[in-house]
Amino acid sequence: MLRRIKIFFIVFLLLLVGAILAALWLLPGTFSAKSTPPEWEVKAARFIRHLATPSHFLKMSNPVRFSPEILAEARHHFADHCATCHANDGSGKTHMGPNFYPPVPDLRNPAIQSMVDGELFYVIHYGIRFTGMPAWGKGLPQEDLESWKLVLLIRHFPNITPKEIAEMKHYNPLTREEREQQEALDQFLSGEDISPPEHHH
Ligand code: HEC
């Protein structure tokens, strides 16, 4: 009996040491966000996320009715809160967009457009854990109409016009340089400074 326990213990120790060595050999670099996930991983993650979305969300229809005013509101909201990562046209072609793991997807693509409204809403309201996508929803989901308006805009992305994209630029967060220029201009206009602001381009 004692001998059996001894053998069991030694085998257990050997397995443990083996597992630790394997982990040390395999682990280095595995948390780097520089690589891009392989196709199967993206598909699997999408499928699991679909399964993990509570079914009553999948069945929800957008409580906000489409109108040009609502769409304009959503464009301004998106330009201010989302475009830093997703770009005004939803393409994801931004400074940071491609550097996330997984990278920011092109919201005009079939992979996104084939998601049901409630699924898009769920992602915006609750975010996606372990990725760069934050949770934006405040309060109860049924009262989060701002996120529902963004769902309308995502549906509109495949047909967004250059004019709409140009207009969104006014609502993008300012860079440091733009802010300094704005402050200098404000000072100049309020008469605090007699020299006109420099223009950088
Ligand atoms: C800090 C960067 C960042 C910001 C800001 C951001 N997102 Fe994202 N978003 C991401 C990343 C990264 C992903 C990819 C996550 C993934 O594929 O798992 C993503 C994915 C998405 C998706 C696709 C979800 C899917 O299932 O593939 C939608 C829709 C989305 N974001 C909407 C928005 C909206 C609307 C806003 C603004 C309210 C926003 N995002 C702001 C980084 C961001």
Side-chain angles (χ1 to χ4, degrees):
M1 188 62 193
L2 204 67
R3 202 178 126 86
R4 274 241 207 108
I5 292 175
K6 252 193 203 157
I7 290 173
F8 178 79
F9 192 66
I10 288 169
V11 169
F12 177 77
L13 265 185
L14 284 176
L15 283 175
L16 189 68
V17 169
I20 290 171
L21 286 178
L24 288 178
W25 183 60
L26 288 171
L27 273 182
T30 45
F31 62 87
S32 162
K34 267 212 177 284
S35 50
T36 319
E39 193 63 24
W40 67 265
E41 189 180 310
V42 174
K43 288 224 171 86
R46 246 174 221 303
F47 180 65
I48 292 167
R49 206 170 328 126
H50 183 80
L51 292 181
T53 307
S55 58
H56 65 278
F57 279 94
L58 296 179
K59 287 185 217 121
M60 273 168 115
S61 53
N62 200 331
V64 182
R65 286 275 146 264
F66 180 90
S67 78
E69 292 75 34
I70 296 279
L71 192 65
E73 231 181 88
R75 276 200 308 271
H76 302 161
H77 184 181
F78 192 91
D80 188 26
H81 287 87
C82 321
T84 323
C85 293
H86 285 280
N88 286 334
D89 61 357
S91 66
K93 291 202 179 73
T94 56
H95 189 59
M96 288 190 264
N99 302 334
F100 287 100
Y101 187 103
V104 170
D106 188 333
L107 298 178
R108 302 165 302 185
N109 275 353
I112 306 296
Q113 293 296 327
S114 63
M115 289 165 73
V116 298
D117 281 358
E119 220 175 351
L120 288 173
F121 171 84
Y122 193 83
V123 163
I124 300 168
H125 189 83
Y126 291 102
I128 306 175
R129 196 181 285 192
F130 299 129
T131 77
M133 176 58 188
W136 297 94
K138 293 186 197 78
L140 296 171
Q142 48 281 29
E143 287 162 14
D144 181 10
L145 297 183
E146 297 313 308
S147 296
W148 282 112
K149 291 175 192 171
L150 290 170
V151 172
L152 285 178
L153 176 64
I154 292 171
R155 292 289 179 227
H156 177 63
F157 270 135
N159 304 310
I160 197 161
T161 64
K163 192 167 160 248
E164 290 176 280
I165 295 167
E167 188 238 11
M168 285 169 87
K169 288 197 184 114
H170 300 293
Y171 295 88
N172 289 145
L174 295 180
T175 63
R176 184 172 55 82
E177 197 183 328
E178 285 163 342
R179 199 172 52 243
E180 281 169 5
Q181 236 175 288
Q182 190 61 49
E183 278 165 9
L185 187 68
D186 288 347
Q187 261 179 25
F188 175 68
L189 291 177
S190 66
E192 280 172 41
D193 188 351
I194 38 156
S195 61
E198 263 181 71
H199 270 282
H200 308 274
H201 281 291

